[in-house]
Amino acid sequence: MNTIIIIITGILGATSTYYVNEHLKQGAVRASAILSLIVSLAFYCFPDVLNTYLTQNIPAAFIGASFVGMVSSKAIHHYRWLIIAGIIFSVIYLNKSTFFRGYGGALGTSAFIAILATMAIPVVFSKKKNITNGILIFRKWLFRDKDE
């Protein structure tokens, strides 16, 4: 049951941050900060509402999932991909180890991995099985004229 609650927290953290960022036009940092503050204060003020494991892990899982929700709408523009990214983040969060220490923080690194994995899904399951188009777009962007 705790696992399901952490996964739901990951989904809610990613989608709510994205919503506040994109639709309420608050910016990614402000959206993540205000939502994380609300969730953390709720569990700080009412620590006995849920069991100890959830009281300690929901705020951290929400903060990390809010990093997922900070993604640009140019990279991930549909909520179903955010839900998948939130689930991937939650699975990484639940199975994290000490490996992530010293790599910019476990939450940020896990969020980055979740976003990359989510963005790779359409490429992996593409019928064309050809990634050269993405490489060409990246090359065009890298070497574009600075006058544009």
Side-chain angles (χ1 to χ4, degrees), residues 60 63-65 67-68 89 100 103-115:
I63 291 169
F67 294 160
V68 172
F89 170 80
F100 288 119
Y103 289 97
L107 296 177
T109 305
S110 300
F112 178 69
I113 292 168
I115 289 172

Side-chain angles (χ1 to χ4, degrees), residues 9-36:
T9 301
I11 292 169
L12 290 175
T15 55
S16 62
T17 302
Y18 185 82
Y19 178 81
V20 172
N21 176 20
E22 292 295 324
H23 297 287
L24 300 182
K25 305 292 185 202
Q26 292 300 310
V29 175
R30 185 179 293 170
S32 175
I34 192 69
L35 292 173
S36 298

Side-chain angles (χ1 to χ4, degrees), residues 6-129:
I6 295 294
I7 290 173
I8 291 170
T9 301
I11 292 169
L12 290 175
T15 55
S16 62
T17 302
Y18 185 82
Y19 178 81
V20 172
N21 176 20
E22 292 295 324
H23 297 287
L24 300 182
K25 305 292 185 202
Q26 292 300 310
V29 175
R30 185 179 293 170
S32 175
I34 192 69
L35 292 173
S36 298
L37 180 65
I38 290 169
V39 169
S40 297
L41 281 176
F43 281 96
Y44 180 78
C45 293
F46 306 106
D48 298 328
V49 173
L50 297 173
N51 64 37
T52 306
Y53 175 81
L54 290 176
T55 300
Q56 292 175 352
N57 285 294
I58 286 178
F62 189 91
I63 291 169
S66 74
F67 294 160
V68 172
M70 292 172 72
V71 67
S72 170
S73 62
K74 293 178 183 177
I76 296 178
H77 58 274
H78 201 282
Y79 281 98
R80 71 174 164 233
W81 294 113
L82 280 172
I83 291 170
I84 292 169
I87 292 170
I88 292 171
F89 170 80
S90 298
V91 169
I92 293 170
Y93 177 80
L94 289 168
N95 296 302
K96 72 182 183 303
S97 67
T98 58
F99 176 76
F100 288 119
R101 291 181 194 224
Y103 289 97
L107 296 177
T109 305
S110 300
F112 178 69
I113 292 168
I115 289 172
L116 285 181
T118 303
M119 291 173 66
I121 290 172
V123 175
V124 170
F125 292 108
S126 172
K127 290 182 172 50
K128 293 182 180 181
K129 301 291 183 197

